[in-house]
Amino acid sequence: MRDALKEITQLDDNTWQVFNNVITETSLQKGDLLVYPGQVCRHIYFLETGLLRSFLHQEGEERNVAFTSENAFVTDLKSLRSGQPTELTIQALEQSTVLQLAKTDLMRLYHESHQIETFGRQLLEALLEAREEYATWFTLHSAKERYELFSQKYPSLLQRLALGHIASFLGIRRETLSRIRHLK
Amino acid sequence: MRDALKEITQLDDNTWQVFNNVITETSLQKGDLLVYPGQVCRHIYFLETGLLRSFLHQEGEERNVAFTSENAFVTDLKSLRSGQPTELTIQALEQSTVLQLAKTDLMRLYHESHQIETFGRQLLEALLEAREEYATWFTLHSAKERYELFSQKYPSLLQRLALGHIASFLGIRRETLSRIRHLK
DNA sequence: AGGGCTGTGTGACAAAAGTCAAAAAATAAA
DNA sequence: TTTATTTTTTGACTTTTGTCACACAGCCCT
């Protein structure tokens, strides 16, 4: 995790130790849930190894809204901030190891350390930029083009994810993605 | 602007003054551009009065990706962070007054004041939450449903925006939105 | 009042994507 | 390996949305 953090901001040894003290490691088997719908999300998570998906229920179907792969952060920001129960499920698609950091600890750390607050801001900037790009996929591109963008941006996920999971993330049906694949 | 900031975080008088010193006011006529495609975006903007749209060019068409109404912040995050020329245009749809804050000043303020860094983080959290919600409109909902969500969430914009601008933001054609409107 | 201008509505048709059902293929389990 | 289970593919058909052409309304302007 420290290496991943260095990509975002510089933390000195002392600050890293403070961070390290409040982190706990969890292990997930394939299929296990990290965030349960109906409960309040009280942590942010850092995925060390494995693969996660975040999904919502809509008309009896599961709709994926995000994938998280190694060395990335994930949480349910809405529930985390509001303290309201989440509608989101976060599930391991592969056996995964996750570091978790409680909101209460994070808030305290933000307050105590300007350096950690800077890290938080920079992480959020990167996440926002990514979400803005994802949103433009839908306003600017067709289903086929969205699949091509996905293939370019996440070529490794293309192998690891089931076709149905990708389709859902792209806002189309499995059958449609299957056809798109076999056109070209 | 101070009142709007209070909604996000608490700034003491001193910090507010520091902020205030680096802000300059600009006025825009209807149709004027705030961010020009091909140039680097070097400011964040706070809209005091008026209405802005952010759009991209795609296949000879303009596609709206965001609207900004009174007392909200806007910028091109991607260009601001990378220093690369933007593809985005930000344009006034009504006569508007805008406060602008240079990236260089903001970076200095972030560094000098933990309180301002906290403000930045909290603002980004709110923006990210909003973008996440917007993205789910496309994975979860049909064109008609997206229009209903837009109507609920931004009833005032419904009056102020041309139908074509809304359609573009919802990822559909003007004709389709016109038909959706006349169905119910 | 009579042009331009811009934005909106309508119709006929084409293309894209969704639906449902069933077969084929790939995985996992026994 | 054989059987079960899940995932992907295919086909026929429906619905939704896009495309193009043009009519219509509102508004500003002189």
PDB file of all heavy atoms in Angstrom, chain C residues 1 4-5 11 18 20 30, chain D residues 1-2 11 13 20 26-27 30:
ATOM      1  P    DA C   1     -49.588  42.905 -37.451  1.00  0.00           P
ATOM      2  OP1  DA C   1     -50.286  41.702 -37.174  1.00  0.00           O
ATOM      3  OP2  DA C   1     -48.321  43.142 -36.784  1.00  0.00           O
ATOM      4  O5'  DA C   1     -49.498  43.048 -39.034  1.00  0.00           O
ATOM      5  C5'  DA C   1     -49.387  44.346 -39.581  1.00  0.00           C
ATOM      6  C4'  DA C   1     -48.355  44.310 -40.674  1.00  0.00           C
ATOM      7  O4'  DA C   1     -47.105  44.873 -40.190  1.00  0.00           O
ATOM      8  C3'  DA C   1     -48.015  42.914 -41.190  1.00  0.00           C
ATOM      9  O3'  DA C   1     -47.861  42.951 -42.599  1.00  0.00           O
ATOM     10  C2'  DA C   1     -46.711  42.553 -40.490  1.00  0.00           C
ATOM     11  C1'  DA C   1     -46.067  43.910 -40.288  1.00  0.00           C
ATOM     12  N9   DA C   1     -45.305  44.013 -39.021  1.00  0.00           N
ATOM     13  C8   DA C   1     -45.753  43.757 -37.749  1.00  0.00           C
ATOM     14  N7   DA C   1     -44.857  43.950 -36.812  1.00  0.00           N
ATOM     15  C5   DA C   1     -43.736  44.347 -37.518  1.00  0.00           C
ATOM     16  C6   DA C   1     -42.431  44.697 -37.106  1.00  0.00           C
ATOM     17  N6   DA C   1     -42.054  44.713 -35.825  1.00  0.00           N
ATOM     18  N1   DA C   1     -41.546  45.048 -38.056  1.00  0.00           N
ATOM     19  C2   DA C   1     -41.942  45.037 -39.336  1.00  0.00           C
ATOM     20  N3   DA C   1     -43.143  44.730 -39.844  1.00  0.00           N
ATOM     21  C4   DA C   1     -43.993  44.389 -38.881  1.00  0.00           C
ATOM     22  P    DG C   4     -35.159  37.348 -45.483  1.00  0.00           P
ATOM     23  OP1  DG C   4     -34.083  38.123 -46.152  1.00  0.00           O
ATOM     24  OP2  DG C   4     -35.622  36.051 -46.028  1.00  0.00           O
ATOM     25  O5'  DG C   4     -34.755  37.076 -43.991  1.00  0.00           O
ATOM     26  C5'  DG C   4     -33.487  36.518 -43.715  1.00  0.00           C
ATOM     27  C4'  DG C   4     -33.208  36.702 -42.241  1.00  0.00           C
ATOM     28  O4'  DG C   4     -34.437  36.945 -41.534  1.00  0.00           O
ATOM     29  C3'  DG C   4     -32.562  35.465 -41.642  1.00  0.00           C
ATOM     30  O3'  DG C   4     -31.391  35.878 -40.955  1.00  0.00           O
ATOM     31  C2'  DG C   4     -33.624  34.897 -40.700  1.00  0.00           C
ATOM     32  C1'  DG C   4     -34.509  36.096 -40.394  1.00  0.00           C
ATOM     33  N9   DG C   4     -35.920  35.744 -40.189  1.00  0.00           N
ATOM     34  C8   DG C   4     -36.828  35.348 -41.142  1.00  0.00           C
ATOM     35  N7   DG C   4     -38.013  35.106 -40.660  1.00  0.00           N
ATOM     36  C5   DG C   4     -37.890  35.358 -39.306  1.00  0.00           C
ATOM     37  C6   DG C   4     -38.850  35.267 -38.271  1.00  0.00           C
ATOM     38  O6   DG C   4     -40.030  34.934 -38.355  1.00  0.00           O
ATOM     39  N1   DG C   4     -38.298  35.617 -37.047  1.00  0.00           N
ATOM     40  C2   DG C   4     -37.002  35.998 -36.846  1.00  0.00           C
ATOM     41  N2   DG C   4     -36.647  36.296 -35.590  1.00  0.00           N
ATOM     42  N3   DG C   4     -36.091  36.097 -37.800  1.00  0.00           N
ATOM     43  C4   DG C   4     -36.606  35.761 -39.005  1.00  0.00           C
ATOM     44  P    DC C   5     -30.212  34.832 -40.800  1.00  0.00           P
ATOM     45  OP1  DC C   5     -28.958  35.609 -40.729  1.00  0.00           O
ATOM     46  OP2  DC C   5     -30.365  33.728 -41.777  1.00  0.00           O
ATOM     47  O5'  DC C   5     -30.536  34.278 -39.353  1.00  0.00           O
ATOM     48  C5'  DC C   5     -30.744  35.209 -38.277  1.00  0.00           C
ATOM     49  C4'  DC C   5     -31.338  34.487 -37.095  1.00  0.00           C
ATOM     50  O4'  DC C   5     -32.770  34.421 -37.245  1.00  0.00           O
ATOM     51  C3'  DC C   5     -30.861  33.040 -36.953  1.00  0.00           C
ATOM     52  O3'  DC C   5     -29.987  32.965 -35.843  1.00  0.00           O
ATOM     53  C2'  DC C   5     -32.147  32.229 -36.738  1.00  0.00           C
ATOM     54  C1'  DC C   5     -33.218  33.286 -36.563  1.00  0.00           C
ATOM     55  N1   DC C   5     -34.545  32.913 -37.134  1.00  0.00           N
ATOM     56  C2   DC C   5     -35.661  32.853 -36.298  1.00  0.00           C
ATOM     57  O2   DC C   5     -35.520  33.104 -35.096  1.00  0.00           O
ATOM     58  N3   DC C   5     -36.867  32.518 -36.830  1.00  0.00           N
ATOM     59  C4   DC C   5     -36.985  32.256 -38.136  1.00  0.00           C
ATOM     60  N4   DC C   5     -38.185  31.945 -38.606  1.00  0.00           N
ATOM     61  C5   DC C   5     -35.851  32.308 -39.010  1.00  0.00           C
ATOM     62  C6   DC C   5     -34.664  32.634 -38.472  1.00  0.00           C
ATOM     63  P    DG C  11     -47.721  13.286 -36.340  1.00  0.00           P
ATOM     64  OP1  DG C  11     -49.139  13.510 -36.714  1.00  0.00           O
ATOM     65  OP2  DG C  11     -47.389  12.491 -35.125  1.00  0.00           O
ATOM     66  O5'  DG C  11     -46.963  12.641 -37.586  1.00  0.00           O
ATOM     67  C5'  DG C  11     -47.012  13.306 -38.846  1.00  0.00           C
ATOM     68  C4'  DG C  11     -46.116  12.596 -39.826  1.00  0.00           C
ATOM     69  O4'  DG C  11     -44.734  12.965 -39.562  1.00  0.00           O
ATOM     70  C3'  DG C  11     -46.193  11.071 -39.746  1.00  0.00           C
ATOM     71  O3'  DG C  11     -46.387  10.543 -41.058  1.00  0.00           O
ATOM     72  C2'  DG C  11     -44.848  10.653 -39.153  1.00  0.00           C
ATOM     73  C1'  DG C  11     -43.931  11.796 -39.574  1.00  0.00           C
ATOM     74  N9   DG C  11     -42.812  12.038 -38.678  1.00  0.00           N
ATOM     75  C8   DG C  11     -42.844  12.100 -37.293  1.00  0.00           C
ATOM     76  N7   DG C  11     -41.677  12.338 -36.765  1.00  0.00           N
ATOM     77  C5   DG C  11     -40.822  12.429 -37.845  1.00  0.00           C
ATOM     78  C6   DG C  11     -39.421  12.679 -37.889  1.00  0.00           C
ATOM     79  O6   DG C  11     -38.657  12.872 -36.946  1.00  0.00           O
ATOM     80  N1   DG C  11     -38.938  12.692 -39.205  1.00  0.00           N
ATOM     81  C2   DG C  11     -39.702  12.488 -40.325  1.00  0.00           C
ATOM     82  N2   DG C  11     -39.073  12.530 -41.489  1.00  0.00           N
ATOM     83  N3   DG C  11     -41.008  12.256 -40.295  1.00  0.00           N
ATOM     84  C4   DG C  11     -41.495  12.244 -39.038  1.00  0.00           C
ATOM     85  P    DG C  18     -29.407  -2.791 -24.567  1.00  0.00           P
ATOM     86  OP1  DG C  18     -29.332  -2.137 -23.247  1.00  0.00           O
ATOM     87  OP2  DG C  18     -28.446  -3.842 -24.952  1.00  0.00           O
ATOM     88  O5'  DG C  18     -30.889  -3.360 -24.712  1.00  0.00           O
ATOM     89  C5'  DG C  18     -31.977  -2.491 -24.390  1.00  0.00           C
ATOM     90  C4'  DG C  18     -33.282  -3.270 -24.355  1.00  0.00           C
ATOM     91  O4'  DG C  18     -33.536  -3.830 -25.658  1.00  0.00           O
ATOM     92  C3'  DG C  18     -33.296  -4.443 -23.371  1.00  0.00           C
ATOM     93  O3'  DG C  18     -34.585  -4.487 -22.762  1.00  0.00           O
ATOM     94  C2'  DG C  18     -33.044  -5.663 -24.258  1.00  0.00           C
ATOM     95  C1'  DG C  18     -33.705  -5.233 -25.570  1.00  0.00           C
ATOM     96  N9   DG C  18     -33.106  -5.817 -26.766  1.00  0.00           N
ATOM     97  C8   DG C  18     -31.797  -5.716 -27.167  1.00  0.00           C
ATOM     98  N7   DG C  18     -31.557  -6.325 -28.295  1.00  0.00           N
ATOM     99  C5   DG C  18     -32.786  -6.860 -28.665  1.00  0.00           C
ATOM    100  C6   DG C  18     -33.143  -7.630 -29.805  1.00  0.00           C
ATOM    101  O6   DG C  18     -32.429  -8.007 -30.735  1.00  0.00           O
ATOM    102  N1   DG C  18     -34.500  -7.969 -29.785  1.00  0.00           N
ATOM    103  C2   DG C  18     -35.374  -7.594 -28.794  1.00  0.00           C
ATOM    104  N2   DG C  18     -36.630  -8.008 -28.937  1.00  0.00           N
ATOM    105  N3   DG C  18     -35.055  -6.882 -27.731  1.00  0.00           N
ATOM    106  C4   DG C  18     -33.750  -6.550 -27.734  1.00  0.00           C
ATOM    107  P    DC C  20     -39.044 -10.489 -21.402  1.00  0.00           P
ATOM    108  OP1  DC C  20     -40.444 -10.181 -21.031  1.00  0.00           O
ATOM    109  OP2  DC C  20     -37.974 -10.495 -20.390  1.00  0.00           O
ATOM    110  O5'  DC C  20     -39.036 -11.905 -22.141  1.00  0.00           O
ATOM    111  C5'  DC C  20     -39.768 -12.048 -23.365  1.00  0.00           C
ATOM    112  C4'  DC C  20     -39.342 -13.319 -24.071  1.00  0.00           C
ATOM    113  O4'  DC C  20     -38.128 -13.096 -24.800  1.00  0.00           O
ATOM    114  C3'  DC C  20     -39.081 -14.515 -23.147  1.00  0.00           C
ATOM    115  O3'  DC C  20     -39.928 -15.571 -23.546  1.00  0.00           O
ATOM    116  C2'  DC C  20     -37.598 -14.824 -23.338  1.00  0.00           C
ATOM    117  C1'  DC C  20     -37.367 -14.279 -24.760  1.00  0.00           C
ATOM    118  N1   DC C  20     -35.968 -13.921 -25.091  1.00  0.00           N
ATOM    119  C2   DC C  20     -35.481 -14.228 -26.375  1.00  0.00           C
ATOM    120  O2   DC C  20     -36.229 -14.792 -27.181  1.00  0.00           O
ATOM    121  N3   DC C  20     -34.215 -13.903 -26.686  1.00  0.00           N
ATOM    122  C4   DC C  20     -33.445 -13.301 -25.785  1.00  0.00           C
ATOM    123  N4   DC C  20     -32.200 -12.994 -26.149  1.00  0.00           N
ATOM    124  C5   DC C  20     -33.913 -12.977 -24.474  1.00  0.00           C
ATOM    125  C6   DC C  20     -35.181 -13.304 -24.171  1.00  0.00           C
ATOM    126  P    DA C  30     -19.990 -31.356  -5.230  1.00  0.00           P
ATOM    127  OP1  DA C  30     -21.190 -31.264  -4.374  1.00  0.00           O
ATOM    128  OP2  DA C  30     -18.634 -31.200  -4.650  1.00  0.00           O
ATOM    129  O5'  DA C  30     -20.040 -32.731  -6.022  1.00  0.00           O
ATOM    130  C5'  DA C  30     -21.211 -33.035  -6.820  1.00  0.00           C
ATOM    131  C4'  DA C  30     -21.088 -34.446  -7.354  1.00  0.00           C
ATOM    132  O4'  DA C  30     -20.038 -34.475  -8.363  1.00  0.00           O
ATOM    133  C3'  DA C  30     -20.706 -35.492  -6.309  1.00  0.00           C
ATOM    134  O3'  DA C  30     -21.474 -36.666  -6.497  1.00  0.00           O
ATOM    135  C2'  DA C  30     -19.219 -35.741  -6.551  1.00  0.00           C
ATOM    136  C1'  DA C  30     -19.082 -35.459  -8.043  1.00  0.00           C
ATOM    137  N9   DA C  30     -17.781 -34.914  -8.435  1.00  0.00           N
ATOM    138  C8   DA C  30     -17.030 -33.983  -7.774  1.00  0.00           C
ATOM    139  N7   DA C  30     -15.904 -33.668  -8.381  1.00  0.00           N
ATOM    140  C5   DA C  30     -15.924 -34.463  -9.514  1.00  0.00           C
ATOM    141  C6   DA C  30     -15.019 -34.610 -10.578  1.00  0.00           C
ATOM    142  N6   DA C  30     -13.862 -33.931 -10.671  1.00  0.00           N
ATOM    143  N1   DA C  30     -15.334 -35.478 -11.554  1.00  0.00           N
ATOM    144  C2   DA C  30     -16.487 -36.160 -11.474  1.00  0.00           C
ATOM    145  N3   DA C  30     -17.420 -36.110 -10.520  1.00  0.00           N
ATOM    146  C4   DA C  30     -17.074 -35.228  -9.569  1.00  0.00           C
TER     147       DA C  30
ATOM    148  P    DT D   1     -11.667 -37.536 -19.563  1.00  0.00           P
ATOM    149  OP1  DT D   1     -10.327 -37.541 -20.215  1.00  0.00           O
ATOM    150  OP2  DT D   1     -12.653 -36.485 -19.837  1.00  0.00           O
ATOM    151  O5'  DT D   1     -12.319 -38.948 -19.795  1.00  0.00           O
ATOM    152  C5'  DT D   1     -12.050 -39.944 -18.768  1.00  0.00           C
ATOM    153  C4'  DT D   1     -13.350 -40.334 -18.088  1.00  0.00           C
ATOM    154  O4'  DT D   1     -13.386 -39.741 -16.760  1.00  0.00           O
ATOM    155  C3'  DT D   1     -14.613 -39.874 -18.806  1.00  0.00           C
ATOM    156  O3'  DT D   1     -15.557 -40.920 -18.777  1.00  0.00           O
ATOM    157  C2'  DT D   1     -15.082 -38.669 -17.994  1.00  0.00           C
ATOM    158  C1'  DT D   1     -14.580 -38.990 -16.588  1.00  0.00           C
ATOM    159  N1   DT D   1     -14.226 -37.797 -15.748  1.00  0.00           N
ATOM    160  C2   DT D   1     -14.939 -37.587 -14.599  1.00  0.00           C
ATOM    161  O2   DT D   1     -15.849 -38.304 -14.216  1.00  0.00           O
ATOM    162  N3   DT D   1     -14.531 -36.478 -13.885  1.00  0.00           N
ATOM    163  C4   DT D   1     -13.513 -35.595 -14.195  1.00  0.00           C
ATOM    164  O4   DT D   1     -13.246 -34.658 -13.479  1.00  0.00           O
ATOM    165  C5   DT D   1     -12.804 -35.882 -15.404  1.00  0.00           C
ATOM    166  C7   DT D   1     -11.696 -35.002 -15.846  1.00  0.00           C
ATOM    167  C6   DT D   1     -13.190 -36.943 -16.121  1.00  0.00           C
ATOM    168  P    DT D   2     -16.874 -40.868 -19.766  1.00  0.00           P
ATOM    169  OP1  DT D   2     -17.235 -42.261 -20.099  1.00  0.00           O
ATOM    170  OP2  DT D   2     -16.617 -39.888 -20.829  1.00  0.00           O
ATOM    171  O5'  DT D   2     -18.006 -40.296 -18.798  1.00  0.00           O
ATOM    172  C5'  DT D   2     -18.400 -41.050 -17.628  1.00  0.00           C
ATOM    173  C4'  DT D   2     -19.303 -40.199 -16.765  1.00  0.00           C
ATOM    174  O4'  DT D   2     -18.537 -39.139 -16.146  1.00  0.00           O
ATOM    175  C3'  DT D   2     -20.458 -39.541 -17.516  1.00  0.00           C
ATOM    176  O3'  DT D   2     -21.675 -39.900 -16.883  1.00  0.00           O
ATOM    177  C2'  DT D   2     -20.148 -38.035 -17.447  1.00  0.00           C
ATOM    178  C1'  DT D   2     -19.303 -37.952 -16.169  1.00  0.00           C
ATOM    179  N1   DT D   2     -18.342 -36.804 -16.103  1.00  0.00           N
ATOM    180  C2   DT D   2     -18.289 -36.057 -14.950  1.00  0.00           C
ATOM    181  O2   DT D   2     -18.997 -36.270 -13.986  1.00  0.00           O
ATOM    182  N3   DT D   2     -17.369 -35.046 -14.980  1.00  0.00           N
ATOM    183  C4   DT D   2     -16.498 -34.705 -16.020  1.00  0.00           C
ATOM    184  O4   DT D   2     -15.720 -33.780 -15.910  1.00  0.00           O
ATOM    185  C5   DT D   2     -16.612 -35.526 -17.194  1.00  0.00           C
ATOM    186  C7   DT D   2     -15.740 -35.256 -18.377  1.00  0.00           C
ATOM    187  C6   DT D   2     -17.521 -36.518 -17.188  1.00  0.00           C
ATOM    188  P    DG D  11     -27.446 -17.683 -35.934  1.00  0.00           P
ATOM    189  OP1  DG D  11     -27.300 -18.706 -36.978  1.00  0.00           O
ATOM    190  OP2  DG D  11     -26.918 -16.319 -36.160  1.00  0.00           O
ATOM    191  O5'  DG D  11     -28.996 -17.569 -35.541  1.00  0.00           O
ATOM    192  C5'  DG D  11     -29.729 -18.754 -35.249  1.00  0.00           C
ATOM    193  C4'  DG D  11     -31.193 -18.415 -35.034  1.00  0.00           C
ATOM    194  O4'  DG D  11     -31.361 -17.879 -33.697  1.00  0.00           O
ATOM    195  C3'  DG D  11     -31.747 -17.355 -35.993  1.00  0.00           C
ATOM    196  O3'  DG D  11     -32.994 -17.824 -36.513  1.00  0.00           O
ATOM    197  C2'  DG D  11     -31.915 -16.119 -35.129  1.00  0.00           C
ATOM    198  C1'  DG D  11     -32.144 -16.703 -33.741  1.00  0.00           C
ATOM    199  N9   DG D  11     -31.711 -15.854 -32.647  1.00  0.00           N
ATOM    200  C8   DG D  11     -30.540 -15.134 -32.565  1.00  0.00           C
ATOM    201  N7   DG D  11     -30.418 -14.468 -31.449  1.00  0.00           N
ATOM    202  C5   DG D  11     -31.585 -14.760 -30.743  1.00  0.00           C
ATOM    203  C6   DG D  11     -32.015 -14.327 -29.475  1.00  0.00           C
ATOM    204  O6   DG D  11     -31.433 -13.580 -28.678  1.00  0.00           O
ATOM    205  N1   DG D  11     -33.261 -14.864 -29.140  1.00  0.00           N
ATOM    206  C2   DG D  11     -33.990 -15.709 -29.930  1.00  0.00           C
ATOM    207  N2   DG D  11     -35.156 -16.108 -29.444  1.00  0.00           N
ATOM    208  N3   DG D  11     -33.603 -16.120 -31.135  1.00  0.00           N
ATOM    209  C4   DG D  11     -32.391 -15.612 -31.477  1.00  0.00           C
ATOM    210  P    DC D  13     -40.002 -14.501 -36.535  1.00  0.00           P
ATOM    211  OP1  DC D  13     -41.293 -15.212 -36.627  1.00  0.00           O
ATOM    212  OP2  DC D  13     -39.350 -13.934 -37.732  1.00  0.00           O
ATOM    213  O5'  DC D  13     -40.165 -13.324 -35.462  1.00  0.00           O
ATOM    214  C5'  DC D  13     -40.708 -13.637 -34.169  1.00  0.00           C
ATOM    215  C4'  DC D  13     -40.569 -12.424 -33.280  1.00  0.00           C
ATOM    216  O4'  DC D  13     -39.168 -12.137 -33.047  1.00  0.00           O
ATOM    217  C3'  DC D  13     -41.173 -11.124 -33.856  1.00  0.00           C
ATOM    218  O3'  DC D  13     -42.254 -10.711 -33.022  1.00  0.00           O
ATOM    219  C2'  DC D  13     -40.016 -10.137 -33.845  1.00  0.00           C
ATOM    220  C1'  DC D  13     -39.055 -10.746 -32.839  1.00  0.00           C
ATOM    221  N1   DC D  13     -37.641 -10.328 -33.021  1.00  0.00           N
ATOM    222  C2   DC D  13     -36.968  -9.787 -31.927  1.00  0.00           C
ATOM    223  O2   DC D  13     -37.560  -9.688 -30.844  1.00  0.00           O
ATOM    224  N3   DC D  13     -35.686  -9.364 -32.072  1.00  0.00           N
ATOM    225  C4   DC D  13     -35.076  -9.487 -33.256  1.00  0.00           C
ATOM    226  N4   DC D  13     -33.825  -9.072 -33.348  1.00  0.00           N
ATOM    227  C5   DC D  13     -35.751 -10.045 -34.387  1.00  0.00           C
ATOM    228  C6   DC D  13     -37.020 -10.451 -34.235  1.00  0.00           C
ATOM    229  P    DC D  20     -28.652  11.456 -41.221  1.00  0.00           P
ATOM    230  OP1  DC D  20     -27.682  10.853 -42.169  1.00  0.00           O
ATOM    231  OP2  DC D  20     -28.228  12.498 -40.274  1.00  0.00           O
ATOM    232  O5'  DC D  20     -29.885  12.027 -42.072  1.00  0.00           O
ATOM    233  C5'  DC D  20     -30.720  11.120 -42.795  1.00  0.00           C
ATOM    234  C4'  DC D  20     -32.006  11.804 -43.192  1.00  0.00           C
ATOM    235  O4'  DC D  20     -32.944  11.775 -42.080  1.00  0.00           O
ATOM    236  C3'  DC D  20     -31.866  13.280 -43.598  1.00  0.00           C
ATOM    237  O3'  DC D  20     -32.443  13.454 -44.868  1.00  0.00           O
ATOM    238  C2'  DC D  20     -32.602  14.027 -42.482  1.00  0.00           C
ATOM    239  C1'  DC D  20     -33.658  12.983 -42.093  1.00  0.00           C
ATOM    240  N1   DC D  20     -34.280  13.166 -40.754  1.00  0.00           N
ATOM    241  C2   DC D  20     -35.618  12.817 -40.577  1.00  0.00           C
ATOM    242  O2   DC D  20     -36.256  12.370 -41.541  1.00  0.00           O
ATOM    243  N3   DC D  20     -36.179  12.986 -39.361  1.00  0.00           N
ATOM    244  C4   DC D  20     -35.463  13.476 -38.359  1.00  0.00           C
ATOM    245  N4   DC D  20     -36.067  13.619 -37.174  1.00  0.00           N
ATOM    246  C5   DC D  20     -34.087  13.832 -38.506  1.00  0.00           C
ATOM    247  C6   DC D  20     -33.540  13.657 -39.718  1.00  0.00           C
ATOM    248  P    DG D  26     -46.449  30.539 -30.223  1.00  0.00           P
ATOM    249  OP1  DG D  26     -47.114  30.326 -28.928  1.00  0.00           O
ATOM    250  OP2  DG D  26     -47.085  31.358 -31.295  1.00  0.00           O
ATOM    251  O5'  DG D  26     -44.998  31.133 -29.947  1.00  0.00           O
ATOM    252  C5'  DG D  26     -44.104  30.395 -29.101  1.00  0.00           C
ATOM    253  C4'  DG D  26     -42.776  31.119 -29.039  1.00  0.00           C
ATOM    254  O4'  DG D  26     -42.111  31.018 -30.320  1.00  0.00           O
ATOM    255  C3'  DG D  26     -42.908  32.611 -28.722  1.00  0.00           C
ATOM    256  O3'  DG D  26     -41.950  32.932 -27.725  1.00  0.00           O
ATOM    257  C2'  DG D  26     -42.606  33.301 -30.054  1.00  0.00           C
ATOM    258  C1'  DG D  26     -41.678  32.305 -30.736  1.00  0.00           C
ATOM    259  N9   DG D  26     -41.724  32.306 -32.200  1.00  0.00           N
ATOM    260  C8   DG D  26     -42.829  32.238 -33.000  1.00  0.00           C
ATOM    261  N7   DG D  26     -42.538  32.236 -34.277  1.00  0.00           N
ATOM    262  C5   DG D  26     -41.156  32.299 -34.320  1.00  0.00           C
ATOM    263  C6   DG D  26     -40.258  32.331 -35.421  1.00  0.00           C
ATOM    264  O6   DG D  26     -40.540  32.306 -36.628  1.00  0.00           O
ATOM    265  N1   DG D  26     -38.935  32.400 -35.016  1.00  0.00           N
ATOM    266  C2   DG D  26     -38.515  32.431 -33.700  1.00  0.00           C
ATOM    267  N2   DG D  26     -37.207  32.499 -33.494  1.00  0.00           N
ATOM    268  N3   DG D  26     -39.340  32.401 -32.660  1.00  0.00           N
ATOM    269  C4   DG D  26     -40.641  32.340 -33.047  1.00  0.00           C
ATOM    270  P    DC D  27     -41.989  34.353 -26.981  1.00  0.00           P
ATOM    271  OP1  DC D  27     -41.698  34.076 -25.554  1.00  0.00           O
ATOM    272  OP2  DC D  27     -43.204  35.087 -27.389  1.00  0.00           O
ATOM    273  O5'  DC D  27     -40.724  35.073 -27.624  1.00  0.00           O
ATOM    274  C5'  DC D  27     -39.567  34.300 -27.927  1.00  0.00           C
ATOM    275  C4'  DC D  27     -38.544  35.145 -28.655  1.00  0.00           C
ATOM    276  O4'  DC D  27     -38.671  34.925 -30.082  1.00  0.00           O
ATOM    277  C3'  DC D  27     -38.696  36.651 -28.431  1.00  0.00           C
ATOM    278  O3'  DC D  27     -37.427  37.211 -28.152  1.00  0.00           O
ATOM    279  C2'  DC D  27     -39.255  37.162 -29.750  1.00  0.00           C
ATOM    280  C1'  DC D  27     -38.663  36.165 -30.742  1.00  0.00           C
ATOM    281  N1   DC D  27     -39.443  35.996 -32.003  1.00  0.00           N
ATOM    282  C2   DC D  27     -38.760  35.888 -33.222  1.00  0.00           C
ATOM    283  O2   DC D  27     -37.534  35.924 -33.227  1.00  0.00           O
ATOM    284  N3   DC D  27     -39.473  35.731 -34.375  1.00  0.00           N
ATOM    285  C4   DC D  27     -40.804  35.684 -34.326  1.00  0.00           C
ATOM    286  N4   DC D  27     -41.454  35.530 -35.475  1.00  0.00           N
ATOM    287  C5   DC D  27     -41.520  35.806 -33.095  1.00  0.00           C
ATOM    288  C6   DC D  27     -40.812  35.956 -31.962  1.00  0.00           C
ATOM    289  P    DT D  30     -31.488  46.273 -35.172  1.00  0.00           P
ATOM    290  OP1  DT D  30     -30.050  46.331 -35.478  1.00  0.00           O
ATOM    291  OP2  DT D  30     -32.034  46.881 -33.958  1.00  0.00           O
ATOM    292  O5'  DT D  30     -32.292  46.842 -36.416  1.00  0.00           O
ATOM    293  C5'  DT D  30     -32.179  46.147 -37.677  1.00  0.00           C
ATOM    294  C4'  DT D  30     -33.194  46.702 -38.666  1.00  0.00           C
ATOM    295  O4'  DT D  30     -34.488  46.088 -38.456  1.00  0.00           O
ATOM    296  C3'  DT D  30     -33.393  48.204 -38.554  1.00  0.00           C
ATOM    297  O3'  DT D  30     -32.921  48.838 -39.736  1.00  0.00           O
ATOM    298  C2'  DT D  30     -34.907  48.413 -38.402  1.00  0.00           C
ATOM    299  C1'  DT D  30     -35.497  47.052 -38.695  1.00  0.00           C
ATOM    300  N1   DT D  30     -36.649  46.684 -37.812  1.00  0.00           N
ATOM    301  C2   DT D  30     -37.788  46.162 -38.387  1.00  0.00           C
ATOM    302  O2   DT D  30     -37.915  45.977 -39.581  1.00  0.00           O
ATOM    303  N3   DT D  30     -38.789  45.856 -37.492  1.00  0.00           N
ATOM    304  C4   DT D  30     -38.762  46.022 -36.124  1.00  0.00           C
ATOM    305  O4   DT D  30     -39.716  45.722 -35.424  1.00  0.00           O
ATOM    306  C5   DT D  30     -37.549  46.577 -35.597  1.00  0.00           C
ATOM    307  C7   DT D  30     -37.408  46.821 -34.136  1.00  0.00           C
ATOM    308  C6   DT D  30     -36.557  46.890 -36.463  1.00  0.00           C
TER     309       DT D  30
END
